[in-house]
Each structure stands twice: as C-alpha cells, then as structure tokens.
Amino acid sequence: MGADLLTITLAAGMGTRMRSFIPKVLHPIGGRSMLAHVLSLAVELGGTKNIVVLGPELEETQETVVPAQICAQTVIQTQRLGTAHAVLSAIDHISSHDGNVLILYGDTPLLTIETLRKLTASLDDGADIVVLGFDAADPTGYGRLLQDTDGSLLAIREHKDADERERAVNLCNSGVFGFKADKLPDLLSRIKNDNANGEYYLTDTVELAKADGLEVAIVTCRELEVLGVNSRQQLASAEKIYQCRKRSEVMEGGATLLDPDSVYFSYDTKIGKDVLIEPNVFFGPGVTVADNVHIKAFCHLEQTQIGKGAAIGPYARLRPAAVIGENAKVGNFVEIKKSTIEEGAKVSHLTYIGDARIGKNANIGAGTITCNYDGFNKHFTDIGEGAFIGSNSALVAPVKIGDGAFVGSGSVVTRNVDKNSLAVSRAKQRQIDDWGIKFRRMNKSTKVKKQESS
Ligand code: UD1
Ligand code: CA
C-alpha cells in the first residue's frame, strides 16, 4: 500500500482556441468529458481526495463540471497567474494532507493508469518530487528537462526562457508532477515570477528542491499519452488515439471487428466474446453487448443492453433504455426506444417500437409502429408472448395485445386484443368487375378531345 493520495487537476485555462461556448475540459472524448477521463484516472489510482482547479468564469457553475458519479471537489483560481499559482489555490487541502500529491491537467485525457502508478511508486520509493517527461517529436513550446551527466534532473526550463543549447533538448515536461505533501507548501511559497511570462511556474519547484538537497526523479512515457488538447484539431487527434485503444481492448476481449477504424466506442462500452461487429457502427454511452451477438453494418446504439446471440441491423437504431433479449432479432431500419424485446422475438424490418414490451418469440411485421405519443404524454404498448403483428400495423398506445394474439396487417389497433384472438381493423376489400377497362376507355376519350381543341 502506497501513501494516501491527494490529486489536483489544473483546469483554469481559458481554452480560447476551441472557440466554444463550453469550457475546454468539458469537451468529450469517447462519450465523456476530458475532465471526467482525468478524474476517473485519479479515482482509479486511489485518490482519497480529488481537487479540480477552475477559472473564475466557472464560479457559478462549478457543480456541473464534475460528473455526478465521480467524487471530486472544486476550487476557484481567481486570477490566472501560472501553474504554481493554480496549485496554490488548493493549498488548504495540501497543508492538511499526509501523503502524496499528484498534479494533473484537465486537458490531457490520454494518460494511462500504468504511467501514473509509476509516479506514485517513485514517491513511495523515496522521491520528494517526480516529473513525468516524454521525448517530443517537436519540443517547441514545452518546458525542457535539463539533466546532469548522470541523468538526474537539475531543472525545468520553459521554452521562452531557454537558451539555444537548452532548446536542443528533446526530453520535455508533460506537466504531470508528483510531490510529497509535506515538501510542497514551502516550495510553492518560494516560487517567483521573474520569467519571460511573468507567471508563477510549478516547474521552478525542481531547482528549489535540488538546492534543498531533496530527491528529484523522472518517469517517462510515450508522447501520445500526454497529448494536450487546445484546439478542435487536437480534440480530433485525441479521439482517434482513444478509439484505437478501445478497438484494441474490444478485440483483446474476444470480439471481431471487420473494419476496426469504422467502429466508434464510448468509454463504458462493454462487448462480450465472439461478438461480430461489421463496419460503420457507433456505440454511444451505456451500451452492453453479451456474447455471440452479431451487429451488422451501419447501426447506432446508445444506453442499450443486448442479450446473448441476438442479431442487430443492418441500419438499426437502438435508443436509450432498449433491452434486447437473448437470440432476439432487430433488422434493418428498425428504431427501438425504452422497450424490452424479449428472448427470441423478431422485429425484422422498418419498424418503430417505443415504450413497449415485445413478448418472448413474438413476431413484429414490417412497418409496424407503436404510436406511443399523443403530443402530451407517452403511453405503453404491451405485446404478449408469441403474438403476431401483421405488416403495416399501427398500435395506438396504451394498448395490450394478448399472448398468442394476431393483428391483421394494415390494422390500426386502438383497443386491447385478447389472448389468441385476431384483431383486424381495416376496410373490407371489394371488387368491381372490369373497372380497369372502363377507366382506360374514359381517359382515352378525354385525351383525344383535349388534343383536338389545342
Ligand atoms: C506547461 C509547463 C511546461 C510543460 C507544458 C506541457 C509550466 C510553467 N509549464 O506549460 O513545462 O511542458 O505545460 O503541456 O508549468 N493552468 C491553470 N492556471 C494557471 C495556469 C495554467 O489552471 O494559472 C492550467 C491550464 O489550464 C493547463 C495547465 O495548467 O491545464 C498548463 O498550463 P499552460 O498555460 O497550458 O502551460 P504551458 O505553458 O503549456
Ligand atoms: Ca499548454
């Protein structure tokens, strides 16, 4: 067991380059905000207290920034005077903490738990400060990690303050830091803002710690883990990296993706074994897919549960609270919302099922519509086990179709149908003999008259 962990996520940046009405850290990757990604890592790492530092513009709405299921508190940095100043806004939490402190950035959502564990392990092994570094393909703009000949960290120099020799260094600061809590308040109190930006730099803690004879360590990771998102382009890059990871995870879990690059997952998508996913499928948040399911091309799913052996699509839309039972079938151009399709039931073509239960082994014909909304309220349709709904039927809710009942195709059903009965509600068919001959004759003669008069 490592020491108690306090995490502080810096998120007071303006994010102006996003050109957005919402704060930068609330933009989503894989179906949830970047900040939620960072905070859930903090929680997974064992953060006993998790603090988010926000800018003053979020003072009014700070409760809405942290997702409900994540335990984190917010503090406001009233003026944006640098990373050390941002950490200082959580000083009360730091001073009262006994253990390790981890500093994260709210706009760096791709970090992995393995990397963060290396940082806390380094503190537990005796480091007073640990910095997460990476080899940058292009180090422009980053703080450089300046090392002694033995590889130990001497200082971090911001790009703007670095000379030519220092700028030639590729090993850069990711911004992620670990500190022993008892060392941090004193270091922070001695940081000055005599640099090119006139800001209080958290990176200055390294030189101060060195002068005090404290132990400073470096942990490294791959550059793509510390990709910071400042623009829509970087948001798209982060999404791409995130999706690659999710696709690998799903395949490692035993699912087949025919064209992985065209399938999009959310952070919480759960896919079972021997699931076959065809190209162009989108999983919004909250989807769980059991073993042996076949999801055909071009489906859109969100907040949906799919039971073992079910077949979905092509072109199916499963909306929130759709529950698809074992071996059920949902075919092309079918939309299902807040409904349970029980085991073995079939909804094969061109159908809307909303606020309904489709009983076990029932068969829903092409073009069936549950008319669930009257313009004010939603109503429930209950279809019994083994019922058969003929094509192009409209079931006007609230309505109940009994077990084993039949509905004749083209019916508009407004009253309950008893068990095993047939309901038909459509005009009786009649036949007018030779009508076609008379019709054609009549039209021909009017056409001739028109041509003569023109
Ligand atoms: C910082 C590091 C740099 C590192 C780089 C990695 C410092 C001085 N520099 O530079 O060494 O290579 O990150 O991306 O630490 N923030 C606040 N309040 C502030 C200032 C910043 O909350 O007053 C937050 C920002 O929202 C952001 C993070 O801290 O999430 C980093 O701030 P930013 O201004 O982007 O730092 P850089 O100049 O990029
Ligand atoms: Ca930055």
Side-chain angles (χ1 to χ4, degrees), residues 6 8 87 90-98 101 181 184-185 188:
L6 164 69
I8 300 172
V87 174
I91 191 67
D92 294 345
H93 297 285
I94 298 167
S95 304
S96 61
H97 182 72
D98 181 16
V101 179
L184 189 50
L188 287 174

Side-chain angles (χ1 to χ4, degrees), residues 53-64:
V53 179
L54 299 173
E57 65 284 356
L58 292 178
E59 179 130 35
E60 306 293 301
T61 53
Q62 47 185 310
E63 293 79 35
T64 61

Side-chain angles (χ1 to χ4, degrees), residues 21-87:
F21 296 110
I22 64 167
K24 177 169 81 172
V25 294
L26 295 189
H27 282 265
I29 301 279
R32 73 169 163 184
S33 73
M34 294 195 273
L35 182 62
H37 280 278
V38 176
L39 290 177
S40 76
L41 274 172
V43 170
E44 195 184 342
L45 195 64
T48 43
K49 199 188 239 185
N50 305 296
I51 308 293
V52 185
V53 179
L54 299 173
E57 65 284 356
L58 292 178
E59 179 130 35
E60 306 293 301
T61 53
Q62 47 185 310
E63 293 79 35
T64 61
V65 172
V66 176
Q69 61 285 18
I70 293 178
C71 182
Q73 290 167 256
T74 52
V75 297
I76 300 291
Q77 182 191 16
T78 42
Q79 270 182 297
R80 207 178 171 283
L81 300 177
T83 44
H85 184 263
V87 174

Side-chain angles (χ1 to χ4, degrees), residues 10 12-13 77 80-83 86 105 107 142-143 158 173-174 201 203:
L10 307 190
Q77 182 191 16
R80 207 178 171 283
L81 300 177
T83 44
Y105 288 176
D107 61 0
Y142 289 114
E158 289 308 299
N173 172 28
S174 68
Y201 288 165
T203 44

Side-chain angles (χ1 to χ4, degrees), residues 321-388:
V323 178
I324 314 298
E326 287 187 18
N327 300 314
K329 188 180 169 205
V330 174
N332 44 258
F333 306 107
V334 170
E335 174 180 346
I336 296 179
K337 185 220 77 169
K338 203 177 178 190
S339 295
T340 301
I341 312 297
E342 292 182 356
E343 187 182 339
K346 290 192 174 76
V347 189
S348 298
H349 341 258
L350 301 153
T351 290
Y352 173 65
I353 301 292
D355 303 291
R357 172 187 78 108
I358 311 294
K360 193 173 162 182
N361 296 328
N363 191 309
I364 309 299
T368 298
I369 292 177
T370 53
C371 310
N372 60 330
Y373 187 49
D374 58 15
F376 295 93
N377 294 301
K378 303 279 167 65
H379 303 281
F380 191 72
T381 300
D382 188 68
I383 298 177
E385 193 174 321
F388 184 97

